[in-house]
Amino acid sequence: MSKNGQKENRDERPLPFVVAITGASGSIYGLRLVQYLLSEGQPIELLVSRAALMVMKEENDLVFGENLKDELLDHLKLSKDVPLTLHQLTNYGASVASGSYKTRGMAIVPCSLGTLGALSAGLTENLIHRAAAVCLKERRPLMIVVREMPFGHIQLKNMLALSEAGAIVSCASPGYYHKPQTIQDQVDFVVGRVLDQFDFDNQLFKRWKSENSITLVKQI
Ligand SMILES: Cc1cc2nc3c(=O)[nH]c(=O)nc-3n(C[C@H](O)[C@H](O)[C@H](O)COP(=O)(O)O)c2cc1C
């Protein structure tokens, strides 16, 4: 403790950040988030569901073999010495399963309706659920980026329950005011807004400016 009672960060290393990629469409968002943070030197604790691997195969033509971590790093064009820890989802003894292991928070990108349901019900059927529950109980930021269309009543209630429990609830919903030209622009908008929620500096998308606001009002 410092003289004024504030907690001091004696350890100079940044706290790890937990990223989970689940089996909703849009694994490209989670992959980009991981790529960006690792390229900035941010330690990542990564959790990937089996369904997410199926989606990556379907959407990104990614088929992984025995060494998921190295193959993932190759795909993300990152060196093998980046601070990435990949966890088995059955390993409830992993660091992120305990609240005593300090993290900066957790983002589930994308978040399937299945994972949403488990979280809102307080289930811990895999390490993603447990790590998210830890964030909520420890009052650390937890963001979920749900992907589905349309939402049913049950999912809307689940999202409300999680929001009431302190989670930041969103869906993968890229804006268009930054005039995206490519899919990458749209992906980076969503990922940039996720990074914003955790105060990670980023220039992944063009931010809104007040002069643009005036222009837009005139156009309408
Ligand atoms: C190609 C593909 C796309 C999918 N897209 C979605 C989706 O957008 N949203 C969703 O909630 N589930 C989607 N699913 C279904 C989930 O993968 C499935 O419900 C799974 O049980 C989720 O498990 P997880 O939450 O452990 O990853 C998709 C599945 C596949 C194979």
Side-chain angles (χ1 to χ4, degrees):
M1 284 283 187
S2 67
K3 281 178 198 157
N4 61 8
Q6 296 291 311
K7 282 181 194 163
E8 282 175 354
N9 182 15
R10 296 208 175 96
D11 191 344
E12 290 300 309
R13 288 171 303 176
L15 284 175
F17 184 63
V18 188
V19 177
I21 304 178
T22 69
S25 183
S27 42
I28 192 171
Y29 293 115
L31 292 171
R32 177 67 169 135
L33 178 65
V34 170
Q35 182 190 46
Y36 179 81
L37 287 172
L38 286 174
S39 69
E40 294 288 304
Q42 168 63 47
I44 297 292
E45 309 274 344
L46 180 61
L47 310 163
V48 182
S49 77
R50 286 168 66 93
L53 294 175
M54 287 176 63
V55 174
M56 287 179 203
K57 184 177 173 207
E58 291 296 326
E59 297 187 345
N60 311 102
D61 296 323
L62 284 173
V63 179
F64 296 106
E66 292 293 301
N67 194 337
L68 177 58
K69 181 178 169 182
D70 283 358
E71 292 172 42
L72 204 54
L73 289 173
D74 283 344
H75 173 70
L76 299 176
K77 299 183 175 61
L78 293 168
S79 74
K80 300 285 187 294
D81 55 6
V82 290
L84 172 67
T85 305
L86 179 68
H87 295 283
Q88 296 280 343
L89 292 204
T90 49
N91 182 12
Y92 291 103
S95 54
V96 294
S98 171
S100 66
Y101 182 71
K102 287 192 172 178
T103 68
R104 185 156 169 174
M106 175 174 183
I108 306 179
V109 188
C111 182
S112 75
L113 298 186
T115 292
L116 167 70
L119 300 190
S120 66
L123 301 179
T124 55
E125 296 200 320
N126 65 36
L127 188 60
I128 295 176
H129 308 160
R130 171 63 188 168
V134 164
C135 278
L136 291 177
K137 83 179 177 69
E138 298 291 333
R139 304 291 192 265
R140 292 179 195 145
L142 167 69
M143 182 172 193
I144 61 168
V145 181
V146 186
R147 214 304 311 176
E148 192 48 273
M149 191 176 169
F151 292 122
H153 190 75
I154 290 172
Q155 289 84 44
L156 289 168
K157 284 205 297 187
N158 287 343
M159 283 190 261
L160 181 62
L162 272 186
S163 178
E164 286 172 346
I168 305 158
V169 178
S170 68
C171 58
S173 176
Y176 289 88
Y177 54 82
H178 65 309
K179 299 190 173 61
Q181 302 297 309
T182 63
I183 290 177
Q184 190 66 51
D185 291 342
Q186 292 175 300
V187 169
D188 280 355
F189 178 92
V190 171
V191 171
R193 297 294 287 127
V194 172
L195 293 166
D196 284 353
Q197 300 307 309
F198 296 90
D199 280 337
F200 285 116
D201 281 340
N202 75 91
Q203 306 294 327
L204 282 184
F205 64 103
K206 196 168 169 237
R207 292 173 187 280
W208 186 251
K209 292 179 184 169
S210 54
E211 58 265 31
N212 290 349
S213 167
I214 292 162
T215 312
L216 186 68
V217 170
K218 277 181 187 162
Q219 282 173 352
I220 288 171

